[in-house]
Amino acid sequence: VKNFIVHILCMFPILILGQAIPSDSENIENLITFSKDAPSQWGDDDNVQTFFAFIPFDYNEPFYIRIFDPNVGGFLDAAYGDKVFDSSTQFSIYGGEGAHSDPDAQGIDPVGNYKSGTLLDYKVFSDEKKYDMQWVTFGPFNPIEGEYDKSLNGYIFKIIAEGLEGNDGNLYSYYLSRHDNLNKPIDGANAFTYEYTFRLKSKGNIAHVYPFIDENVIAIKQFNFDLDADGDIKLYSVSKNGEDAKVSGDNSWDSSSHTVTEEEKFKCVDLQILRKVNTKNDVSLYVLNQYDEAIRFFSSPLGSHKYVYQFSVTPKEKE
Amino acid sequence: VKPINCFILFLFVAFEHFGQVNQFIPYSHDQGLQSRFIYDICQDDKGNILLATENGLINYNGYQFNEILVKEQKERSFFNSFLLDSQNNIWIGNNRGQVWKRDSKGTIKKIEIPESFNSAIINFYEDYDGEIWISSKTNGIIKLSPTGAQNHYPFNSEIRILNSFQGISRKSFLIGSNEGLYLYRENLNKSLDLVKKIALIPQTKITFIGKENDYFWVGTIDEGLYKIALKKQDELEFELFTSYPELNKYSIKSAISSKNEVLWVSSTGDGLLRIKDNELVHFQESDGLSSESLSQLFKDKEENIWIGTLGKGLMRKYNSPFKPYSINGIEEQEIADIIDYNQEKFLAGSEGLYKSNGLTELVGANSLAQWQGKLFVSTRKNGIYLFNGKGFSLFENSVFQQNKINQILIKENQLYVATSTQGLIVMNLLDRSYEQFNTTNGLTHNEVNSCYVDSKERIWLAMSGGVLNAIEKGEIKIFGNEQGLHAFDFSEIDEDENGVIWISSNGGGLYSYSNNIFKNYSRSEGLHTNYLTSLCTDKKGNIWCAGRDGISRYSLDSEKFYSYNSKTNIYNFSISQKGLKSMGDSLVILGNKGVFLHDRDNDIQNTSSNKLSFTQVLINDSLFQFDKKIELANGKYSLAAKFQKISFTNQQEIQYRFYLDGQEDSYGPAFNDPSCYYPGLLSGDQKLKIISSDGNGNWDEEPLVLELSIDIPIYQKPYFILLCILGLIGIFTSYILYKEKRNKNIQNYLNTELDNRTAEVRSQKEELAEKNKEIEDSIIYAERIQKSMLPNSKLLTENTKDHFILFKPRDIVSGDFYWFTETKEHFIFAGADCTGHGVPGSMMSMICISELNKTIQIHKEVNPAEILKRVDHGVKIALHQNTDMQANDGMDIGLCVLEKKAKRILFSGAGRPCYFIQNDELHVIKGSRNHIGGAQEEEKSFEVHEIDVSNKTKIYLSSDGFVDQFGGPKGKKYMRKQFREMLSSEHTKSMSDQRDALNQSFQNWKGNLEQVDDVLVMGLEF
């Protein structure tokens, strides 16, 4: 599996431009993290969102992790309750040993040693106007400050967005850049998470998330939270053509299991969420394999293939 | 406002199109630097630039990058901080909390630090007690004492991330965190306690704290840059000196100020910032930066600004003191002259006359001058043109066209034209009259490179061929070797504000002339070359001179040269002949790539104060440590040493001189090559001494010394000599002792032998004495017998009137004998001398006496001749001389027979004479030559002589013992003559007196000599 992933990453580095998180291919408006006093029914079950940035081994220049609109306030973010922004969010960057390899880092929930690795930088944002709708840059980082992942043949950095005091929702996005004040993509870079919390676009838009199916996966189970039952979730892959998945209601989790075919292995499943209403909705989503291990969602899908239609021909009986 | 100031303003305003000069020198893979991420920079005491990089600790000496400490190949870490402490130890930390220490000898040791201390080392700090403080990003701070003890100070709640750490006073520290700047202090209980948060600094991420003199620079990620200082050292109160909030859009990584109050600021993503007088200049990749992601800034001892980048290696800010500017089209032209004409700048270029708005279509202009609103333009081949602002017209073509003009000069309505073929032409511009100075009126020759009219109205001519001419009131003076000028050519002449004339030369360097004395300035004084092509003075007390590859400035104030190497300061720029022009307060440099202006603000004279140091010492091609005395065993050695004085701006101007103290007496000539080689080293102590110049003629006062000691040959060593001496003494002593012992042994042996011999000799002596006594007794007895056989002297008394017998046997018994007998009528007496003496002689005497007695008594013979015959016969028979046995024993004898009655004596002698005195006259009767006895077979005949004794007659018979006695003053024989004279002189005395006189005479003659024979003298008076 590891070799295959490396193979894929090496073969298509130019095609992977996943430095924007969420990426264009995901068609997700923004990531969102609510502060800890926000009720879970607003869509964030744990007030923490962890992303992992992947920098390929061959890239040996400094890079930056940029956050768009990191503050909690202003134009983009969601104020709740008294409609006054009184929240803060901390963004932390981790690298070094254990940043990703620690089992707690790969969990669904922010428990245990999920802040594993070496803290490289952090910053707490509140309602500072100077950061509103602005890019804030962390770095520069030397790629080798990350944790080397042999399966990916690159370095992994962990980005944790953690809602602190307050109850507002912080909408933001990331970009892995070669430049400190410009979004210049890094060839071969990518990002992944084990649990997605994001804001869905309005009615008619389809959000895509891409759980990666490795050779050990024979079945997946998707979990979604607070989808308010106002849309559909469908699975697309080489073997699935819009396979329905269960949709959660307000402030609740729902899940559905789906078998995995051999053709789907080493590829991403396109998990599509179709909005049917115009209201803003923030959801959380994760996928487990048959061992209840979380499956990575890559910002830029790896090895995804379109559904291959299969026809079964039944000979017409002679009259 | 002076026109010239307008011109200078014009230069900077009108000519805005400055040429592009790369102000940043990159050091990356192409220059040998393999590392891309430069995290920290510093400089060691020798001037090497040290770099903390992702690959290791790198050293750069101006020529190459060398790895000092390299991380393991598989190690996914990088070195991001280091410290050069007061002991020249280098402390190195990486991003994983690991720390190494490299001591001054190059030994690298990993510091044992708890594994939990695993976040990036941010920086090191050495406090006043020599303790090393190691700050980490998230794991707190560790203090290492010189004894090796460690104190770990974890962060308290205020600090989650440490971005910078700086000691400010004894045990007090500034810590930059993500939330602002904190002041901490180590207390006596060894805790690191928060003193306060520095409110002067915004509560944002502090990216950098740097100390510069008594100030601290504090950089932030988004709130700009601040300069603070302690109000009072003990109170830990800060005051804000300067802030740069306008830098809030830059993430500041480092800040450093350089000369001329320029502040340099690096940002982590926006390149380099230069601030001076509140003017901000932003340098980005488009300005020559290799990267805009910068890390550390560092200012070295030469005021070079080094810029570390993250991802693109290292850069050095290049401060060019020359600012290029150009008019379109002249960038690649060789410009020969420049002038301000009608508030417009005109340049004489290789392709024509340029002005600010373009080319004026005159080919090959080489010199410019103006007079009364007219611009004079000289050409090399086509004479002089007048330019009226629109077009050209030939000026006095008949005079100047064929003259190959080198320079024109206008002063006081006079046009001075220096030519290659016609010498100097001076034309009065008012009436066009002219005067020509050439060989016909005293000029050395006609090739005048340039001319100058000084304040005393002397016309100076710089000539080819190493000659300088001066025309003073029409009189031509020639200066050359006799005045101390030694050059191939002279190029230009100028005068400073003190009236001193300066002359540039090709080959001889720079000359000054004042008070009729020329003074020379050459490379040894700091001039960059002795081959000068241009010269000018400015109003700031500087003498500028240029060669093809650089410019030197001589400051009249400091009396020093400052060099500007064109390869270093102006890339690929070759300065024109007479390419230096002083215009107002500024210096203009003309060359093959347009024109440069001297930028005084950027003229930072970087002289290397770095120490001269060895880089390699090879002895017999083997590397040796050079930080201590090299001691070698005796042998043949060669020494090759490489050394360096690091300069990043003036490397080519640095010179070295060296000598080997012990083999040479003084420093040799200056070289640019930083190496030396000695093929053969003498034994003993030697010192290689090297001094270097900083490029401006300032030589080290103290030399760099390499001490060598080559063991002298063992035979030259004092201890060996001493040992030899002691050995010799020992050998000599041993020899003496041996000899003494040997002698002693010999002595003992001899003594023993002597004793033995003595005993033996004594024994023998005793035996001999006994035998001798026995012999002596026998001889004495024989004497008695002999005496008993001698006749009784009574017969003599009866038969003579008087007589004496001097009988002196040599030994006890005698071969001589006297004999006499009596018959009735005869008295027979004889004196005989038998052969031999002693016992043999006595035995012979016994035989002869027996024969005489037998002849007389038995044979009754009284004829003396017959007596002798019979005795002869009897002796032969007795001695068997008639047989075959040869024996010559016998007897000489004088025999007298007194015929009593006849008163007559008959004498026959056998080998002996008879002396007789009659009438006071001595007579001698020789005896026969025949002797008694012997082997003669023939019959012997003896004559008989008759002596009448009727009258008083004294008869003397003797043996030959008296006359044969040696003695006298010369040890000669007594001789018969003296004997006869004795007898003659003494015969009157009584016979006893005669005997005494003879005896006395004999003793006197013999003296101490031994008596050689028996002596017998008998005297008888009748």
Side-chain angles (χ1 to χ4, degrees):
Chain A
V1 176
K2 294 174 181 176
N3 293 336
F4 179 77
I5 296 173
V6 171
H7 178 70
I8 290 174
L9 291 173
C10 294
M11 281 186 64
F12 305 104
I14 307 302
L15 301 176
I16 298 173
L17 295 175
Q19 292 84 1
I21 309 165
S23 67
D24 288 345
S25 63
E26 292 174 301
N27 197 27
I28 292 171
E29 188 170 284
N30 280 301
L31 305 176
I32 188 166
T33 300
F34 282 89
S35 289
K36 60 185 180 183
D37 295 333
S40 58
Q41 66 188 54
W42 291 347
D44 189 356
D45 67 318
D46 53 14
N47 310 116
V48 171
Q49 175 139 257
T50 302
F51 256 86
F52 296 93
F54 165 73
I55 307 296
F57 179 79
D58 294 336
Y59 183 77
N60 50 18
E61 292 187 22
F63 77 99
Y64 302 84
I65 296 173
R66 309 191 75 209
I67 307 174
F68 181 71
D69 190 46
N71 67 325
V72 194
F75 180 76
L76 188 62
D77 299 310
Y80 288 89
D82 52 9
K83 302 294 182 183
V84 174
F85 286 105
D86 56 357
S87 302
S88 59
T89 305
Q90 174 179 284
F91 291 90
S92 308
I93 316 295
Y94 293 85
E97 296 295 324
H100 173 251
S101 60
D102 191 295
D104 289 341
Q106 301 178 25
I108 305 302
D109 299 316
V111 294
N113 189 30
Y114 72 101
K115 292 183 178 178
S116 58
T118 303
L119 179 63
L120 300 179
D121 205 353
Y122 77 96
K123 187 171 178 63
V124 177
F125 296 89
S126 298
D127 186 17
E128 300 96 343
K129 287 185 172 50
K130 67 178 180 180
Y131 300 128
D132 191 42
M133 300 300 287
Q134 299 296 318
W135 285 95
V136 171
T137 303
F138 284 84
F141 298 107
N142 188 331
I144 63 175
E145 288 184 80
E147 182 183 24
Y148 179 70
D149 188 302
K150 192 175 180 182
S151 66
L152 297 174
N153 193 27
Y155 298 94
I156 297 175
F157 293 77
K158 181 164 62 183
I159 311 166
I160 296 178
E162 183 177 10
L164 302 179
E165 68 273 11
N167 58 5
D168 304 309
N170 189 354
L171 285 142
Y172 57 92
S173 58
Y174 298 127
Y175 199 97
L176 307 181
S177 175
R178 288 184 282 121
H179 201 277
D180 80 320
N181 53 20
L182 293 173
N183 287 339
K184 293 192 172 181
I186 301 167
D187 294 341
N190 208 333
F192 60 89
T193 184
Y194 291 94
E195 184 192 39
Y196 237 139
T197 302
F198 54 90
R199 171 163 288 186
L200 293 169
K201 288 186 176 180
S202 57
K203 180 182 176 182
N205 283 300
I206 300 174
H208 302 257
V209 294
Y210 302 98
F212 181 76
I213 308 301
D214 66 31
E215 64 175 350
N216 297 318
V217 179
I218 58 172
I220 59 173
K221 187 176 184 180
Q222 66 84 21
F223 293 81
N224 59 83
F225 178 72
D226 194 33
L227 203 59
D228 296 343
D230 57 4
D232 295 328
I233 298 178
K234 292 183 181 297
L235 298 177
Y236 290 87
S237 71
V238 292
S239 303
K240 297 179 175 64
N241 186 17
E243 186 173 304
D244 287 329
K246 284 191 176 179
V247 177
S248 62
D250 183 32
N251 195 26
S252 66
W253 286 97
D254 207 340
S255 63
S256 59
S257 296
H258 306 269
T259 57
V260 171
T261 65
E262 283 298 316
E263 291 80 9
E264 290 175 311
K265 290 186 177 180
F266 305 119
K267 301 178 183 70
C268 284
V269 172
D270 182 5
L271 192 155
Q272 298 184 5
I273 305 170
L274 174 64
R275 288 281 286 152
K276 293 181 177 177
V277 296
N278 257 336
T279 57
K280 294 178 180 176
N281 193 15
D282 305 315
V283 298
S284 295
L285 186 72
Y286 65 90
V287 175
L288 301 179
N289 64 14
Q290 69 274 13
Y291 305 115
D292 287 341
E293 295 170 339
I295 290 176
R296 285 180 273 191
F297 298 94
F298 277 91
S299 294
S300 293
L302 300 180
S304 179
H305 288 263
K306 288 185 177 179
Y307 175 74
V308 178
Y309 286 94
Q310 295 179 350
F311 299 93
S312 60
V313 178
T314 304
K316 190 176 180 181
E317 293 183 0
K318 293 181 180 177
E319 291 182 353
Chain B
V1 179
K2 294 180 179 178
I4 193 63
N5 291 338
C6 292
F7 168 70
I8 296 303
L9 181 64
F10 170 78
L11 282 178
F12 284 92
V13 175
F15 295 91
E16 289 182 345
H17 180 69
F18 286 84
Q20 181 64 49
V21 173
N22 189 358
Q23 301 184 62
F24 302 97
I25 300 172
Y27 300 90
S28 58
H29 188 274
D30 291 343
Q31 288 74 33
L33 176 59
Q34 305 299 326
S35 301
R36 304 164 68 96
F37 288 78
I38 309 298
Y39 289 98
D40 206 353
I41 309 170
C42 79
Q43 188 173 30
D44 68 14
D45 60 331
K46 295 172 184 172
N48 294 294
I49 292 296
L50 302 177
L51 307 171
T53 76
E54 83 274 24
N55 292 324
L57 185 63
I58 309 291
N59 167 304
Y60 179 56
N61 60 10
Y63 295 100
Q64 59 186 8
F65 291 89
N66 299 307
E67 294 170 334
I68 296 176
L69 174 62
V70 185
K71 72 175 183 181
E72 293 180 12
Q73 193 71 26
K74 294 181 179 178
E75 187 71 39
R76 302 185 194 284
S77 63
F78 53 84
F79 298 94
N80 62 332
S81 179
F82 61 73
L83 168 75
L84 183 66
D85 71 13
S86 57
Q87 306 298 315
N88 274 333
N89 300 310
I90 303 176
W91 298 82
I92 311 138
N94 73 2
N95 66 320
R96 298 194 169 193
Q98 296 166 314
V99 175
W100 290 264
K101 177 186 175 185
R102 182 183 188 270
D103 64 22
S104 56
K105 294 180 180 177
T107 306
I108 297 172
K109 175 187 173 186
K110 188 173 183 181
I111 305 298
E112 296 295 331
I113 285 179
E115 289 186 4
S116 58
F117 198 81
N118 58 5
S119 72
I121 303 300
I122 297 302
N123 52 7
F124 297 86
Y125 171 71
E126 182 184 17
D127 68 15
Y128 297 88
D129 296 327
E131 295 174 319
I132 303 297
W133 294 74
I134 307 169
S135 62
S136 75
K137 188 154 191 164
T138 59
N139 294 130
I141 296 167
I142 281 182
K143 182 182 76 173
L144 292 178
S145 70
T147 60
Q150 295 185 8
N151 287 71
H152 184 199
Y153 300 111
F155 292 141
N156 54 23
S157 58
E158 293 86 7
I159 308 291
R160 286 186 61 200
I161 281 184
L162 180 148
N163 298 313
S164 53
F165 177 80
Q166 178 65 52
I168 57 169
S169 65
R170 194 175 187 84
K171 309 301 181 189
S172 298
F173 309 94
L174 285 174
I175 293 178
S177 75
N178 272 19
E179 285 82 24
L181 185 65
Y182 294 87
L183 176 62
Y184 278 79
R185 186 182 186 101
E186 184 190 36
N187 290 320
L188 294 176
N189 59 0
K190 299 295 179 186
S191 63
L192 195 63
D193 298 333
L194 174 65
V195 178
K196 61 183 173 183
K197 193 170 189 176
I198 306 299
L200 294 170
I201 307 300
Q203 296 185 30
T204 186
K205 180 177 178 179
I206 306 300
T207 54
F208 147 76
I209 308 169
K211 186 176 183 184
E212 200 167 77
N213 301 322
D214 292 331
Y215 301 98
F216 298 95
W217 290 104
V218 180
T220 69
I221 191 169
D222 53 6
E223 294 288 349
L225 178 66
Y226 299 84
K227 184 180 183 182
I228 61 175
L230 281 171
K231 285 182 180 176
K232 292 182 179 177
Q233 194 72 16
D234 297 332
E235 295 180 0
L236 299 178
E237 288 292 331
F238 286 91
E239 58 184 338
L240 181 66
F241 272 82
T242 316
S243 65
Y244 300 92
E246 66 274 20
L247 302 181
N248 60 356
K249 58 183 177 182
Y250 305 107
S251 176
I252 293 169
K253 184 58 183 173
S254 179
I256 201 163
S257 58
S258 63
K259 281 185 178 178
N260 300 331
E261 298 179 350
V262 174
L263 175 64
W264 297 93
V265 181
S266 66
S267 74
T268 52
D270 294 291
L272 184 68
L273 307 165
R274 179 184 188 270
I275 302 170
K276 184 180 182 187
D277 300 331
N278 293 321
E279 181 190 359
L280 176 66
V281 179
H282 188 187
F283 296 95
Q284 299 172 289
E285 288 183 4
S286 58
D287 300 306
L289 282 181
S290 55
S291 171
E292 292 171 9
S293 182
L294 305 183
S295 57
Q296 199 71 25
L297 294 179
F298 178 75
K299 180 176 67 177
D300 69 16
K301 296 172 187 172
E302 297 174 279
E303 294 283 332
N304 291 303
I305 304 296
W306 296 84
I307 307 156
T309 77
L310 296 176
K312 295 291 185 183
L314 182 69
M315 289 182 289
R316 179 165 65 88
K317 174 71 176 71
Y318 158 56
N319 294 317
S320 174
F322 303 106
K323 184 179 290 185
Y325 74 101
S326 65
I327 299 171
N328 285 334
I330 69 163
E331 292 87 350
E332 297 300 323
Q333 298 302 312
E334 180 160 358
I335 305 300
D337 203 356
I338 185 169
I339 197 168
D340 180 32
Y341 172 67
N342 285 345
Q343 297 187 336
E344 196 168 7
K345 194 169 186 64
F346 281 76
L347 299 99
S350 55
E351 293 190 3
L353 184 67
Y354 286 84
K355 59 179 181 178
S356 56
N357 57 0
L359 180 65
T360 56
E361 297 180 354
L362 179 67
V363 175
N366 66 354
S367 186
L368 304 170
Q370 61 174 316
W371 177 72
Q372 292 185 353
K374 298 172 183 172
L375 179 62
F376 288 73
V377 183
S378 70
T379 64
R380 176 69 178 162
K381 297 178 180 177
N382 299 316
I384 298 173
Y385 289 83
L386 277 181
F387 181 68
N388 59 9
K390 295 180 180 177
F392 296 95
S393 60
L394 276 170
F395 175 73
E396 295 295 336
N397 191 34
S398 60
V399 180
F400 299 115
Q401 187 171 15
Q402 301 298 323
N403 288 337
K404 294 187 178 178
I405 296 168
N406 290 325
Q407 182 207 13
I408 58 174
L409 171 70
I410 297 177
K411 188 171 183 180
E412 304 290 339
N413 299 322
Q414 299 287 327
L415 172 64
Y416 300 86
V417 182
T419 74
S420 289
T421 56
Q422 297 297 323
L424 177 72
I425 300 170
V426 183
M427 175 175 279
N428 188 324
L429 293 174
L430 298 176
D431 58 12
R432 301 293 174 92
S433 62
Y434 68 92
E435 185 178 7
Q436 190 166 356
F437 297 91
N438 53 28
T439 51
T440 59
N441 49 17
L443 222 56
T444 306
H445 54 75
N446 292 338
E447 187 171 355
V448 182
N449 292 327
S450 67
C451 61
Y452 179 77
V453 182
D454 70 11
S455 56
K456 297 179 181 176
E457 296 186 348
R458 289 176 296 196
I459 307 170
W460 291 88
L461 305 179
M463 313 284 285
S464 297
V467 180
L468 195 65
N469 287 185
I471 304 168
E472 187 171 10
K473 297 177 181 175
E475 181 185 353
I476 296 175
K477 294 181 179 177
I478 298 172
F479 303 102
N481 289 343
E482 292 181 1
Q483 287 72 35
L485 302 176
H486 304 286
F488 300 122
D489 298 301
F490 290 98
S491 50
E492 269 199 295
I493 303 160
D494 204 349
E495 182 179 14
D496 68 20
E497 293 188 332
N498 300 320
V500 177
I501 304 298
W502 295 87
I503 309 110
S504 61
S505 79
N506 181 9
L510 180 67
Y511 289 92
S512 68
Y513 178 75
S514 178
N515 298 324
N516 298 321
I517 295 173
F518 287 95
K519 185 178 179 182
N520 181 234
Y521 303 85
S522 62
R523 283 200 66 177
S524 55
E525 279 78 31
L527 190 65
H528 78 282
T529 179
N530 288 342
Y531 298 87
L532 301 177
T533 56
S534 185
L535 167 84
C536 77
T537 64
D538 69 14
K539 293 180 179 178
K540 300 291 184 182
N542 296 309
I543 314 301
W544 296 84
C545 45
R548 291 195 182 280
D549 58 351
I551 298 172
S552 287
R553 174 170 63 87
Y554 181 71
S555 169
L556 295 174
D557 292 335
S558 65
E559 297 185 343
K560 283 185 177 178
F561 280 97
Y562 301 92
S563 294
Y564 306 83
N565 189 296
S566 66
K567 290 176 184 172
T568 303
N569 292 318
I570 309 174
Y571 288 106
N572 301 319
F573 186 78
S574 179
I575 300 164
S576 302
Q577 293 266 351
K578 308 183 192 71
L580 295 179
K581 303 293 175 188
S582 179
M583 307 187 76
D585 288 339
S586 187
L587 177 78
V588 178
I589 304 149
L590 312 176
N592 64 338
K593 292 188 180 295
V595 180
F596 280 76
L597 279 177
H598 177 232
D599 183 359
R600 190 175 295 112
D601 288 341
N602 234 2
D603 189 356
I604 300 169
Q605 272 301 323
N606 297 327
T607 57
S608 174
S609 59
N610 293 321
K611 289 180 183 176
L612 176 63
S613 60
F614 287 106
T615 58
Q616 189 183 66
V617 171
L618 290 171
I619 294 178
N620 285 359
D621 298 327
S622 297
L623 279 172
F624 273 73
Q625 294 280 339
F626 41 78
D627 56 352
K628 60 184 179 182
K629 186 175 183 178
I630 296 174
E631 297 188 344
L632 302 166
N634 181 253
K636 293 181 178 178
Y637 296 100
S638 64
L639 167 65
K642 291 183 178 178
F643 35 86
Q644 66 176 8
K645 183 188 186 80
I646 294 176
S647 172
F648 299 104
T649 57
N650 225 9
Q651 190 73 55
Q652 294 175 351
E653 304 301 326
I654 288 180
Q655 294 181 308
Y656 304 90
R657 299 175 70 191
F658 53 83
Y659 82 106
L660 191 59
D661 191 2
Q663 288 191 203
E664 298 168 313
D665 296 328
S666 60
Y667 289 103
F671 293 102
N672 289 105
D673 180 23
S675 66
C676 64
Y677 178 69
Y678 288 91
L681 299 179
L682 300 178
S683 57
D685 287 339
Q686 301 181 52
K687 291 181 179 178
L688 176 62
K689 295 183 177 179
I690 309 164
I691 55 174
S692 61
S693 76
D694 61 359
N696 290 324
N698 300 314
W699 289 90
D700 298 336
E701 292 181 0
E702 290 296 324
L704 175 67
V705 177
L706 175 69
E707 290 190 70
L708 289 163
S709 178
I710 300 175
D711 215 358
I712 57 176
I714 192 168
Y715 56 84
Q716 292 182 3
K717 290 185 176 179
Y719 76 84
F720 181 81
I721 295 171
L722 184 63
L723 279 177
C724 287
I725 293 171
L726 291 175
L728 288 173
I729 292 173
I731 291 170
F732 184 72
T733 305
S734 300
Y735 178 73
I736 296 294
L737 291 174
Y738 167 75
K739 288 287 285 183
E740 278 187 358
K741 187 176 181 182
R742 185 164 166 266
N743 289 341
K744 195 173 180 181
N745 289 338
I746 292 172
Q747 188 66 39
N748 291 336
Y749 171 76
L750 290 176
N751 287 341
T752 306
E753 285 293 308
L754 184 61
D755 290 343
N756 294 337
R757 295 288 177 88
T758 303
E760 186 178 349
V761 168
R762 280 181 182 167
S763 172
Q764 290 175 348
K765 181 185 176 187
E766 288 173 358
E767 187 179 352
L768 191 62
E770 188 176 350
K771 289 182 178 178
N772 203 32
K773 187 172 183 301
E774 289 176 0
I775 293 169
E776 191 175 343
D777 289 346
S778 299
I779 293 172
I780 290 170
Y781 191 77
E783 179 191 21
R784 199 167 67 196
I785 293 171
Q786 188 178 37
K787 282 182 177 178
S788 67
M789 291 191 71
L790 292 176
N792 191 346
S793 61
K794 183 181 175 182
L795 286 177
L796 283 176
T797 307
E798 289 173 358
N799 292 293
T800 63
K801 291 177 182 175
D802 197 0
H803 67 275
F804 73 86
I805 295 173
L806 178 61
F807 183 51
K808 294 174 73 70
R810 180 180 176 271
D811 300 313
I812 296 171
V813 290
S814 173
D816 291 2
F817 67 91
Y818 55 91
W819 176 83
F820 42 87
T821 187
E822 183 182 31
T823 64
K824 190 181 277 184
E825 292 177 358
H826 294 85
F827 176 65
I828 306 162
F829 57 96
D833 178 4
C834 296
T835 54
H837 47 79
V839 173
S842 67
M843 291 179 72
M844 278 303 300
S845 69
M846 293 299 288
I847 293 170
C848 291
I849 289 170
S850 177
E851 289 298 321
L852 283 171
N853 288 335
K854 189 167 68 179
T855 302
I856 298 303
Q857 291 171 3
I858 296 173
H859 298 290
K860 305 300 184 180
E861 185 64 57
V862 293
N863 184 294
E866 290 302 322
I867 294 170
L868 294 179
K869 282 183 180 179
R870 284 192 178 270
V871 170
D872 175 60
H873 180 71
V875 168
K876 284 184 175 178
I877 290 172
L879 298 178
H880 303 282
Q881 290 177 335
N882 53 350
T883 67
D884 294 335
M885 293 181 64
Q886 294 295 316
N888 290 318
D889 298 325
M891 173 178 65
D892 292 339
I893 187 169
L895 179 69
C896 293
V897 178
L898 174 65
E899 294 175 350
K900 296 177 181 177
K901 290 177 180 177
K903 296 290 185 182
R904 186 181 67 164
I905 290 175
L906 298 176
F907 168 75
S908 288
R912 295 305 308 161
C914 173
Y915 304 93
F916 69 95
I917 296 172
Q918 287 180 337
N919 301 322
D920 298 326
E921 184 179 356
L922 175 64
H923 302 274
V924 179
I925 302 170
K926 292 183 177 179
S928 173
R929 292 187 175 181
N930 293 322
H931 301 278
I932 300 301
Q936 184 177 351
E937 294 180 358
E938 294 85 11
E939 185 174 350
K940 298 172 184 176
S941 63
F942 301 97
E943 295 174 0
V944 177
H945 301 277
E946 184 179 322
I947 303 167
D948 184 7
V949 295
S950 57
N951 295 324
K952 185 178 182 179
T953 302
K954 293 177 181 176
I955 303 294
Y956 300 94
L957 296 176
S958 67
S959 67
D960 58 359
F962 198 106
V963 298
D964 285 345
Q965 178 63 44
F966 291 100
K970 296 182 180 178
K972 293 184 176 179
K973 286 185 177 179
Y974 195 88
M975 302 304 287
R976 291 174 183 169
K977 181 183 178 185
Q978 188 178 189
F979 183 73
R980 289 194 300 265
E981 289 171 357
M982 185 69 192
L983 292 177
S984 296
S985 63
E986 300 292 334
H987 76 279
T988 57
K989 294 179 180 177
S990 67
M991 281 300 179
S992 59
D993 290 343
Q994 286 185 42
R995 186 193 61 192
D996 293 341
L998 283 170
N999 187 39
Q1000 188 63 44
S1001 177
F1002 180 82
Q1003 290 298 335
N1004 290 341
W1005 183 257
K1006 179 176 79 70
N1008 293 326
L1009 297 179
E1010 194 176 341
Q1011 182 177 331
V1012 298
D1013 203 356
D1014 301 327
V1015 174
L1016 173 65
V1017 180
M1018 57 191 297
L1020 295 93
E1021 184 178 346
F1022 295 98

